Amino acid sequence: MKIVIQRVSKASVTIAGEKVANINQGFLILVGIVSEDTAEDIIWLTNKIVNLRVFEDDKDVMNHSIKDIDGDVIVVSQFTLHAATKKGNRPSYIKAAKPDVAIPLYESFVKQLHKDLGKPVQTGQFGADMKVELLNDGPVTIIIDSKSKA
């Protein structure tokens, strides 16, 4: 499972002209899933997310977590995070999990993040054509791959 965390001042997701998610300070998290991902990957990643210290304290040092600042989160499925670009100019997405595998893992990820964060997590819609807007704060963007945790 690969994620891209963007620290945001605000973010939203719009589908077919309707805003389905909207936050102020917090994280916009893009999630890419492969067939080999497991519940262990989800637990490891959500623990990383809620404890990641990337928000400034009163001395402007990135020393606070999303929990410390009571920040909000939007999670968006993003199969293109697993694009293979080695050959040619058209990315291959063969590594990305098919919906029958990816949807349950995505839903488990959101549910576990909600549990670890202790508050609701907003989402886009799996497989939908989404318009994602964000104001990246910093900018701070962190990429984490659960397969690189060792």
Side-chain angles (χ1 to χ4, degrees):
M1 191 171 285
K2 187 181 292 187
I3 62 172
V4 175
I5 301 171
Q6 295 182 300
R7 186 180 77 179
V8 298
S9 296
K10 63 181 179 177
S12 65
V13 177
T14 302
I15 301 171
E18 179 184 346
K19 196 170 280 193
V20 298
N22 189 40
I23 64 168
N24 288 312
Q25 186 178 31
F27 288 149
L28 171 69
I29 302 173
L30 307 175
V31 180
I33 298 168
V34 294
S35 299
E36 299 79 25
D37 288 328
T38 66
E40 181 181 307
D41 293 298
I42 291 168
I43 291 167
W44 185 81
L45 279 171
T46 59
N47 183 58
K48 272 286 191 198
I49 291 165
V50 300
N51 293 299
L52 195 63
R53 298 184 330 178
V54 295
F55 293 94
E56 281 87 8
D57 61 17
D58 56 357
K59 295 180 178 146
D60 289 330
V61 176
M62 286 196 280
N63 210 22
H64 289 306
S65 71
I66 189 86
K67 286 181 84 166
D68 294 333
I69 65 146
D70 194 31
D72 294 317
V73 175
I74 296 177
V75 176
V76 174
S77 62
Q78 185 83 46
F79 75 93
T80 60
L81 289 179
H82 290 289
T85 58
K86 186 175 181 178
K87 292 168 56 177
N89 293 316
R90 181 181 299 171
S92 168
Y93 305 107
I94 197 154
K95 192 172 178 185
K98 302 285 186 254
D100 61 321
V101 171
I103 292 171
L105 287 169
Y106 171 77
E107 290 172 349
S108 292
F109 176 84
V110 171
K111 186 176 180 179
Q112 185 66 44
L113 187 55
H114 170 256
K115 180 180 173 189
D116 291 353
L117 195 56
K119 65 189 297 185
V121 172
Q122 296 186 49
T123 65
Q125 180 183 334
F126 191 95
D129 180 20
M130 295 174 270
K131 306 303 178 206
V132 179
E133 289 187 77
L134 68 132
L135 181 56
N136 192 315
D137 181 19
V140 173
T141 301
I142 310 286
I143 301 169
I144 304 174
D145 189 333
S146 64
K147 302 305 185 228
S148 300
K149 63 184 168 225

